[in-house]
Amino acid sequence: MEKTRILVVDDDPKLVHLVRQVLSASDYDVLTARSGDAAVELCAGKTRSCPAGPDSTNGMDGYQAARHIREFSEVPIIMLTARARETDILKGFEVGADDYITKPFNARELLARIRAVLNAPRAGQPARWN
Amino acid sequence: MLADAVREQRQEERLRSELMAILSHELRHPLTAIKGYSTALLMEDVTFSPDQTREFLESIDSECDIMQTMISEILDSSLIDVDQLNIQREPMRLPQLVQDVAAESQRRTSLHRMVIDFPPEFPIVEADPHWIRQVLRNVLDNAIKYSPEGGLIVVRGEVRPADVVISVADQGLGISPEDIILLFVRYYRVKMSNGYHIPGTGLGLPIARTIVEAHGGRIWVESKVGQGTTLFLLPSQDHPAAG
């Protein structure tokens, strides 16, 4: 079976490295990007899921990138961010994120949430009840 | 008078809220790595190679050091705030102290190489070893942090008629002229154009300056963007060639 591809985006190379290691070990095919702009470009290609951090300092931040991606793609997006205030979380969902995880995060929880998002029915598709 | 008091209070409130912002944002960075790597290692259904496991543990260790430095800086800064910077001078050998601190820093990095260059007849200076050690730590810590690709860090001692100069030069990112003036302002953080997040409280150099000035010395920075940053500090020499 073909591996699920996940794009990891953050301006902090250390964080990208950490998430890449965890996802690769869990048998995902991992792509990485260091900026919102690069993430949007890659998503316009062929990706399956885009955890995006809104802390990016180059060009678009995570929220803007998520909003752009939503213009052309229904790909699941998980925000993984240090912004833990309620308004930030609500903003994440407003721009089209499917889930929102705050730093510091638990690797097990990240994987569980990725699985949940990948298994959830997408908009426009009927939910599977059996 | 009242206006001064109000201004002072506002300034204090601003500093306090900046400190809170540092605590929540900057401490979250190392904490994210520590939590992320440790929970990854605890996963039962995923196996990592021995090399990966070692790398994760090394990351946890170095991020703990980063947090430790931040916490010490915040504590030092609060001591300085309440005027508890108690300088106890004693005759001390700077080259020995530099050796110690450089060895300590060397253990925290495999990308950098510390080079110490002191003339053989270096005078004994009257200073507080605890606080001068702190200055060296902060300056070396900056040299490491702002040269993320690694390289040489040269700590040089120079003897002049009325004082001694210690310089710390790295082969790092350098610093722009507009940032140089602000380096000694509390909580100021240099923004990296390449998107690198350099962890820190923005307190290291301001603390170093307070300590050096309390010794009657001076600290400054000479640098160009893209060229090695050099930091000089200058504790005054009270007893030339003593001992």
Side-chain angles (χ1 to χ4, degrees), chain A residues 11 14 17 21 103 105 107, chain B residues 28 35 39 52 55 63:
Chain A
D11 62 346
K14 285 202 273 188
H17 185 66
Q21 302 253 49
K103 294 176 191 170
F105 66 94
Chain B
R28 215 182 278 263
K35 178 87 179 165
T39 53
Q52 274 179 312
E55 188 204 321
E63 296 296 330

Side-chain angles (χ1 to χ4, degrees), chain B residues 22 73 145 183 185-189 200-206:
Chain B
I22 286 166
E73 284 177 0
K145 280 196 304 196
L183 278 181
V185 174
R186 276 209 290 187
Y187 308 118
Y188 182 75
R189 305 294 320 284
T201 55
L203 291 169
L205 284 184

Side-chain angles (χ1 to χ4, degrees), chain A residues 9 33-43 56 58-61 64-65:
Chain A
V9 194
R34 289 280 304 278
S35 70
D37 305 69
V40 174
E41 244 172 71
L42 277 165
C43 262
S56 172
N58 299 334
M60 261 186 271
D61 69 13
Q64 291 165 322

